[in-house]
Amino acid sequence: SQTIHQWPATLVQPVGSPLSLECTVEGTSNPNLYWYRQAAGRGLQLLFYSVGIGQISSEVPQNLSASRPQDRQFILSSKKLLLSDSGFYLCAWSVNREYGYTFGSGTRLTVV
Amino acid sequence: KQEVTQIPAALSVPEGENLVLNCSFTDSAIYNLQWFRQDPGKGLTSLLLIQSSQREQTSGRLNASLDKSSGRSTLYIAASQPGDSATYLCAVPREKLVFGKGTKLTVNP
């Protein structure tokens, strides 16, 4: 069966520090991968998606970047965190849009 | 542009009550519709996926219906329990997954 792993679960980082969040998927090949952010009291915002290794599409200009170094690995990064980067970050995968999406357990990021 | 709306935004019911959560979408040309549950501070758990050719899907006490022509889906929860308390989200895929803002459900013992 397919599983999605996301870590860390919680993270407290100072303003200006770097960020690296990792997401991996097991049990499938060539998944579509997604990073979402959920700010407090707000809806889910798509940040990045990837349909293959090295292929990254950005939905929103921001302080973040994403990379896909391996087929089932998706990384969200920042060189210098801002207070506004605080939020709940969710990774998701899909085979294609006809088969639904599966989400990870999320990372709670607090920038202080 | 696809827009997804969920009504009500919040719902509080006594334990044992049957309830209906509503989801509407503006563009009926959908592949499918997916219902999720989100517990506080947790990720999204997929509850039901209804393909565009289907009218309904059932899983345990949950039943989701889909009416593409009217742009509506409902999630029916039978015999609600305190453990059903969570935020329920519906979503439809376009170039990206378009979410409603969710219904926060509280089931009181």
Side-chain angles (χ1 to χ4, degrees):
Chain A
S1 64
Q2 301 92 355
T3 56
I4 180 169
H5 302 279
Q6 206 181 324
W7 68 92
T10 60
L11 193 58
V12 179
Q13 292 284 96
V15 169
S17 64
L19 172 73
S20 180
L21 303 181
E22 189 164 343
C23 172
T24 59
V25 179
E26 296 178 356
T28 189
S29 297
N30 197 31
N32 297 326
L33 296 171
Y34 308 85
W35 279 111
Y36 283 83
R37 177 170 60 199
Q38 189 176 37
R42 300 180 65 180
L44 283 148
Q45 179 185 37
L46 178 62
L47 302 176
F48 301 95
Y49 67 94
S50 172
V51 299
I53 295 174
Q55 300 179 58
I56 308 294
S57 297
S58 174
E59 286 290 304
V60 182
Q62 59 215 332
N63 185 41
L64 302 170
S65 63
S67 62
R68 185 171 177 172
Q70 300 179 41
D71 181 43
R72 290 168 291 176
Q73 183 184 30
F74 205 22
I75 296 172
L76 183 69
S77 304
S78 174
K79 292 182 179 178
K80 290 185 178 181
L81 283 168
L82 306 172
L83 287 174
S84 58
D85 292 323
S86 294
F88 191 52
Y89 289 82
L90 288 157
C91 181
W93 76 273
S94 69
V95 172
N96 58 50
R97 53 189 166 186
E98 297 179 19
Y99 290 92
Y101 293 67
T102 301
F103 281 77
S105 55
T107 295
R108 172 72 59 191
L109 172 65
T110 304
V111 183
V112 295
Chain B
K1 177 185 175 184
Q2 179 71 276
E3 295 182 357
V4 179
T5 303
Q6 291 188 247
I7 296 174
L11 183 63
S12 182
V13 301
E15 181 176 3
E17 190 162 303
N18 301 325
L19 57 99
V20 173
L21 307 181
N22 296 292
C23 172
S24 61
F25 45 94
T26 54
D27 186 348
S28 61
I30 61 171
Y31 289 93
N32 52 55
L33 185 143
Q34 196 166 1
W35 282 94
F36 295 91
R37 167 184 173 142
Q38 186 176 29
D39 293 287
K42 305 294 185 182
L44 275 64
T45 300
S46 181
L47 298 174
L48 290 164
L49 173 68
I50 312 177
Q51 299 297 338
S52 61
S53 59
Q54 297 176 315
R55 296 284 294 182
E56 63 178 50
Q57 276 281 354
T58 297
S59 176
R61 294 182 295 107
L62 306 179
N63 176 277
S65 67
L66 176 64
D67 184 343
K68 280 180 49 180
S69 60
S70 66
R72 294 176 184 273
S73 177
T74 61
L75 180 65
Y76 175 82
I77 303 178
S80 59
Q81 303 171 358
D84 295 329
S85 297
T87 295
Y88 291 80
L89 296 150
C90 66
V92 294
R94 294 285 286 183
E95 293 75 24
K96 59 184 180 182
L97 196 57
V98 181
F99 283 91
K101 294 188 182 301
T103 294
K104 184 176 181 180
L105 173 65
T106 303
V107 181
N108 301 300

